[in-house]
Amino acid sequence: MKQLKPLLAAVLLSLAGASQAAKVLVVLSDADHLELKDGKTFSTGFYLNELAQPLKLLLDAGHEVTFATPAGKAPTVDASSLDPMYFQGEVATLKQYQALVDKLDITSRERSPVISLARVEQIGYAHYDALYIPGGHAPMQDLIRSAELGRLLTHFQQGGKPTALVCHGPAALLSALNNPVSAIARMEQGSRATPPGWIYAAYRMTVISNQEEGLAKAALKGGTMKLLPQTGLEQAGASYSSNSAPWTPYVVTDRELITGQNPASALQVGQALLERLKK
């Protein structure tokens, strides 16, 4: 009997760990470019570290992850994010996270496990316990105006389910505006009117700052974004804040919402999401 006790304890511990596993939905953009002003375009996608760092934390903790994009297409990694500077300057660390994304076939046109937001809705929003949206400029092309994403976010907001986003990712919260396509179009055309009925009005949050967008403007090769994420969220009614020094980690939590300002914030956003899933 004494010999069975350690085995029984191990089984119980395993079962306890399994009961804590959550189903996490990771939503990315279908877009591989961002349309800029004056008819220009900018090649983009998701930032590797913004997806992979929180993803590894979730998988290592035993959580189940599902990937989705608006149309169910394999997302594109932004080539500029394949840089050791986003991984403390460590080439080996960059390769480790790149290997994780490659192993999961996330960007594979033939084997990607990504499903569409329509499929997510068909499965049922209640199936998922948490939501994560990484950045890169791509969400500014499609996620911010996706009514399907808006319905998903509304479910999570009403249920108080953990909702984490980083860098340009928090701009996707604009999809929860009434008629987001027309609302975003008005914003892009310079309207200063506050859209009515946004579920995140007065929420404290962050997103890549206008200052940081200005510092990174050279990456747009002379182009200009139609809408800056900070401007859009503030106009919609967010209580926005940012760090005191650009490109340093900054995370804001308010109710179910966890937002990180920039690529340097991705790991902390992932850690905050993990802590929320323990509750």
Side-chain angles (χ1 to χ4, degrees), residues 4 9 22 52 70 75 97 110 126 137 164 166 178 181 191 211 236 265:
L4 290 176
Y97 283 108
E110 296 81 20
H137 284 82
V166 71
N178 294 327
V181 173
S191 171
Q211 179 189 17
S265 309

Side-chain angles (χ1 to χ4, degrees), residues 109-128:
R109 296 298 183 262
E110 296 81 20
R111 300 180 303 278
S112 179
V114 171
I115 62 176
S116 67
L117 288 181
R119 178 60 179 149
V120 170
E121 190 167 9
Q122 184 182 45
I123 292 169
Y125 298 150
H127 179 75
Y128 304 100

Side-chain angles (χ1 to χ4, degrees), residues 180-253:
V181 173
S182 61
I184 296 300
R186 288 193 296 272
M187 286 183 176
E188 291 178 340
Q189 291 164 7
S191 171
R192 295 180 180 273
T194 300
W198 191 42
I199 59 175
Y200 297 106
Y203 268 67
R204 292 180 291 106
M205 65 182 72
T206 191
V207 72
I208 186 169
S209 68
N210 288 353
Q211 179 189 17
E212 288 167 330
E213 289 285 14
L215 293 171
K217 191 174 181 180
L220 300 181
K221 299 179 180 178
T224 302
M225 292 178 66
K226 295 180 180 180
L227 178 67
L228 295 176
Q230 177 186 336
T231 299
L233 291 178
E234 287 180 320
Q235 187 174 330
S239 176
Y240 176 81
S241 63
S242 63
N243 53 22
S244 56
W247 309 122
T248 55
Y250 186 73
V251 177
V252 176
T253 60

Side-chain angles (χ1 to χ4, degrees), residues 70-95:
K73 297 179 182 177
T76 300
V77 62
D78 190 313
S80 66
S81 72
L82 304 179
D83 191 309
M85 72 176 178
Y86 296 110
F87 301 90
Q88 296 76 48
E90 297 291 336
V91 175
T93 305
L94 161 64
K95 290 183 177 179

